[in-house]
Amino acid sequence: MSWRGWMTPLVFLLLAAVWTWPAPITAELLGRRADALGTVWFVSAAARLLPGLHDGLTGWPLGADYTRPDSWTMLLVGPLSALLGAPRVVALVAFLGVTASAWAAETFARSIGARAPWSLVAGMAYAFSGLGSTAFIEGYPYHLADPWLPLFGAAWLRAVDADGRPRDGLAAAALFALALGTSAWHGLAAAILGIGLLAAARAQGVVRPRPVLAAATAVGVLALAYAAAFFSNAPASEVASSGLGGLSTLSDRLLLHTAPGPAVDIDGRGQTAWFSAVMLAGLAVAPVLVGRDWRVRALGLTALVALGLALVPLPWASMAQWVPTSRAGALAALQAAFGRFPERLGWAWLAAGGVVAARALTELERIAGRWTWPLLAAAALEPFVALRLPQRQAVSPGGAPSAYGASAGAVFDLWPEDLARDPGWDLRVTNTDCFYQAAHGRPIADLCLLVPGQQSPRARLGEWVTDALLDGDASSVEARLSAFGFATIAWHPDVFRPSTRSRLAEALARVDGAPAESTDAGDHVVAFALASPAEGVAGAEAYAAWGAP
Amino acid sequence: MTWLLWASLAHASAAQAVEVQVLLRDAPRGTAPLVATTWLGEERTLTLVDDGSVPGDKPGDEVYVGRWTGEPVRVLPVRILLTSASGAQTVAAFNEVLDDGENDLSYVVELGDPVSVRRVASAWSQRSAEVAELARTGASIGWAALVLGYVAWLVGRSPGPR
């Protein structure tokens, strides 16, 4: 088969368009989980977050410092949202991210001797994976946009090989930084890949010191800076609960690596770490077909180690017993960040396993001819059949209710407080407010990213506001919120219990007898204007002086 | 290009639909499920039926079915009530996150004191739901074994250097 170079990105572009549909064309919100709402806010706010990561338009009236963003690379695409709109940018990150990641993995495969079209198996295995589908459906598509991990693998393999040069090491270090910037999980996956390849190169006796030293110096500086930023906001003591999504048993994690069943999306999580059967088969026969190549052996073993780490739960509770009390906060930060979703270490499994499979299938085609072609078709179809994309993806309106546009100034969103005990509901409410802000641009009381140890002004004020309104004390609510600089109460009445709703409506009518009301953009919002909101720093000072109930 | 335009228009014109299914087993005579919501400010109730009059419903299987349609809504408050001769009583409330297109909301009501309601992937029997889950897992493992067997067969039957 005559394969032209341009065919590879074109094939991936077409497959990604179908797999992520309607991401190539939509300005609507894609994603089932509340994270999708938060990602859109993050992209919309990126331009104003740089360089200090301070945001005066959220956490009103104090503002907020977001020193631990989930993805640094998403900050770079953020400015495009002014041109295209944040939901469209997020959708394009998913679509083009899958394309770029697949192409990068295919390039990695060619670097160890795989030939097109068999090298495409590496791209399919890596970018069209269960982990990728989870990120897309749950709403953090920057996980899909990581061509850096396979490119790091290729550069690092050159650096530790017999003819490695310092510039290969530096290139690998730069790509490692980009993988780490994409998400902490991709940084960890890159570290596993890097350590595995270095260990294998040492065992083989091919590695030279200069390229490794060059990379180690660059990565060392980066790691110190990253660790300092990471632990600077560690919680004081307790080890955080694993919460939703923490799979504690080996059998649960094994099942997670098969095709997801009908119940996978029921709570909006959509989690699966399914991987390609063609990749698995190629990996399994690689020792027979291409096992003489030390690079194949190194990548194969590294892939298996990464899979093992993704499957075997770490004993966090036991580890806590061995850590001094003064370091319990650091352990808690590590557990909160890396303890909940260890399957994400599987990105290293997919990157390394895919390239080994592609190399093995290249060899298999040489000896078995056209009998191998069905495997290529299977590799292309598997992600659509096993993961049921694009059918499983959810689409919802991309804008904010028009009632927010009726006036200017800070908005206090009023949601039911009796549902706040459910962490899923709290996240949904917070991220909905933040998502709306991406469209209406007015200051809001929510914290749109996790700020350890801090509660948002909306959460602090919400219960007091609801209680006061139910007591019929609308004047106190109006006076306090105005003193804190809020200009509007945006009430979301439909999700309140009917009995509570009628009492709140009666009280809020005393705040503003002619509120703005809308039912567009998928939400019923009634916006009550507050008279004489405080201006300048007065609102922040009043809020800081307020003793929370 | 035409295809993209067509797909875009088809996507834009999609209305939101919600099919509600409630499994209510061994219900006393005269007891039936009813669901209520506030859909973008409008109060709505939906009588669920098990008489085969709704497309897709199998009469007498104890799964009660009904369907709402309307303008897109992000989060739909769903209240499940049981009606009987003594009136209607709310037994559970959920806030459901919806997709712009078709949505299936399925619940299992277990009568007792108190009545419990669970959100499930399918309102058919628990056994059917487990079979559906196991079928996907089994198919996934079977497919991997088939591909692995095929590749091993290719390796075994092929001459040449290894």
Side-chain angles (χ1 to χ4, degrees):
Chain A
M1 184 187 295
S2 171
W3 190 266
R4 306 285 172 84
W6 55 265
M7 292 179 178
T8 300
L10 184 64
V11 166
F12 284 139
L13 195 76
L14 290 173
L15 289 172
V18 179
W19 203 60
T20 63
W21 192 260
I25 59 157
T26 193
E28 305 283 66
L29 175 71
L30 296 180
R32 289 187 173 276
R33 195 168 148 70
D35 299 70
L37 301 155
T39 302
V40 170
W41 171 82
F42 185 61
V43 165
S44 77
R48 66 175 190 261
L49 287 175
L50 289 171
L53 298 176
H54 176 79
D55 185 23
L57 296 187
T58 54
W60 183 270
L62 297 177
D65 290 302
Y66 301 122
T67 53
R68 279 169 59 180
D70 291 340
S71 174
W72 296 85
T73 49
M74 283 296 269
L75 283 170
L76 303 177
V77 299
L80 286 174
S81 65
L83 192 65
L84 301 173
R88 191 185 292 280
V89 170
V90 172
L92 288 174
V93 164
F95 162 49
L96 298 175
V98 169
T99 307
S101 298
W103 194 8
E106 190 267 351
T107 304
F108 188 10
R110 279 191 286 108
S111 77
I112 66 158
R115 276 186 289 106
W118 301 100
S119 53
L120 272 70
V121 169
M124 295 304 299
Y126 176 68
F128 295 79
S129 61
L131 289 175
S133 76
T134 303
F136 183 45
I137 288 172
E138 292 197 355
Y140 36 90
Y142 45 89
H143 280 221
L144 293 163
D146 187 28
W148 321 118
L149 176 62
L151 292 177
F152 160 76
W156 186 234
L157 202 49
R158 276 198 308 275
V160 298
D161 207 347
D163 51 357
R165 295 160 297 181
R167 72 177 182 192
D168 294 325
L170 289 173
L175 290 161
F176 175 83
L178 286 166
L180 185 64
T182 300
S183 86
W185 287 104
H186 287 93
L188 275 181
I192 293 168
L193 194 56
I195 292 168
L197 295 181
L198 179 62
R202 279 208 63 182
Q204 188 68 20
V206 293
V207 67
R208 292 162 60 184
R210 287 182 60 204
V212 176
L213 278 174
T217 306
V219 169
V221 171
L222 171 76
L224 281 175
Y226 191 86
F230 187 87
F231 288 116
S232 65
N233 291 296
S237 55
E238 80 282 1
V239 175
S241 155
S242 60
L244 283 170
L247 297 176
S248 54
T249 66
L250 183 59
S251 59
D252 280 346
R253 291 191 182 183
L254 279 170
L255 282 177
L256 192 70
H257 287 75
T258 63
V264 66
D265 299 316
I266 192 167
D267 63 355
R269 294 210 65 86
Q271 279 192 44
T272 174
W274 170 88
F275 55 83
S276 159
V278 174
M279 179 189 103
L280 181 67
L283 191 63
V285 298
V288 180
L289 296 175
V290 284
R292 283 171 298 185
D293 186 337
W294 79 268
R295 299 172 305 172
V296 170
R297 289 198 307 276
L299 284 163
L301 285 170
T302 304
L304 293 175
V305 168
L307 179 63
L309 288 169
L311 284 172
V312 180
L314 282 179
W316 291 100
S318 305
M319 287 158 68
Q321 294 171 5
W322 297 96
V323 172
T325 311
S326 59
R327 293 283 176 268
L331 183 65
L334 278 176
Q335 183 187 359
F338 304 119
R340 294 180 65 197
F341 306 109
E343 63 274 10
R344 291 180 189 169
L345 295 175
W347 283 112
W349 148 250
L350 297 169
V355 296
V356 171
R359 173 82 168 82
L361 293 176
T362 300
E363 184 65 18
L364 186 62
E365 196 267 346
R366 200 178 64 76
I367 60 176
R370 67 181 61 178
W371 285 93
T372 51
W373 291 3
L375 294 169
L376 203 56
L381 289 174
E382 276 182 309
F384 296 92
V385 176
L387 299 169
R388 287 176 280 135
L389 275 174
Q391 295 96 316
R392 279 174 56 219
Q393 183 57 290
V395 184
S396 52
S402 52
Y404 284 99
S407 53
V411 183
F412 181 83
D413 283 277
L414 185 59
W415 294 91
E417 287 301 311
D418 52 352
L419 297 165
R421 280 185 297 263
D422 173 7
W425 175 252
D426 200 42
L427 183 69
R428 165 70 51 180
V429 163
T430 298
N431 286 6
T432 299
D433 295 344
C434 297
F435 173 74
Y436 288 161
Q437 196 215 34
H440 65 63
R442 300 171 64 183
I444 58 173
D446 293 85
L447 294 174
C448 294
L449 291 176
L450 181 69
V451 182
Q454 275 192 39
Q455 194 182 19
S456 75
R458 186 189 60 76
R460 280 187 76 201
L461 280 162
E463 193 171 344
W464 177 85
V465 169
T466 306
D467 287 348
L469 289 172
L470 290 175
D471 288 342
D473 188 7
S475 56
S476 292
V477 170
E478 184 170 19
R480 180 155 289 161
L481 291 182
S482 296
F484 295 164
F486 290 103
T488 302
I489 298 174
W491 186 37
H492 303 261
D494 289 8
V495 285
F496 282 82
R497 295 175 199 278
S499 55
T500 311
R501 192 189 309 156
S502 55
R503 290 167 64 194
L504 288 174
E506 198 177 316
L508 284 165
R510 290 199 288 276
V511 173
D512 177 5
E517 185 169 1
S518 66
T519 56
D520 56 347
D523 199 357
H524 177 206
V525 174
V526 189
F528 297 86
L530 294 164
S532 318
E535 292 181 4
V537 295
E541 287 173 357
Y543 179 77
W546 177 56
Chain B
M1 197 64 187
T2 310
W3 176 75
L4 270 178
L5 187 61
W6 175 85
S8 179
L9 288 173
H11 175 67
S13 62
Q16 197 168 41
V18 178
E19 182 164 310
V20 183
Q21 299 181 339
V22 172
L23 173 64
L24 178 63
R25 199 174 283 139
D26 302 328
R29 195 174 176 80
T31 299
L34 178 77
V35 287
T37 189
T38 310
W39 190 303
L40 297 175
E42 177 194 349
E43 296 300 329
R44 294 188 184 188
T45 55
L46 180 65
T47 303
L48 305 181
V49 296
D50 186 24
D51 57 5
S53 61
V54 174
D57 179 44
K58 193 171 149 192
D61 63 350
E62 300 183 312
V63 177
Y64 294 75
V65 182
R67 187 178 170 84
W68 274 316
T69 56
E71 289 295 305
V73 56
R74 290 180 198 282
V75 177
L76 190 73
V78 176
R79 298 182 294 280
I80 297 176
L81 300 90
L82 288 182
T83 58
S84 63
S86 57
Q89 181 195 0
T90 303
V91 292
F94 297 86
N95 284 311
E96 301 286 2
V97 178
L98 299 188
D99 181 9
D100 267 2
E102 292 283 333
N103 296 268
D104 292 323
L105 304 178
S106 303
Y107 308 89
V108 173
V109 177
E110 284 167 5
L111 297 174
D113 189 18
V115 175
S116 75
V117 182
R118 282 181 296 125
R119 173 81 161 87
V120 291
S122 162
W124 313 111
S125 70
Q126 183 65 24
R127 186 177 164 77
S128 304
E130 283 171 4
V131 167
E133 291 289 323
L134 280 173
R136 295 285 302 182
T137 305
S140 181
I141 294 169
W143 168 248
L146 182 69
V147 174
L148 191 55
Y150 181 67
V151 170
W153 175 71
L154 284 182
V155 172
R157 70 182 283 276
S158 303
R162 299 209 254 286

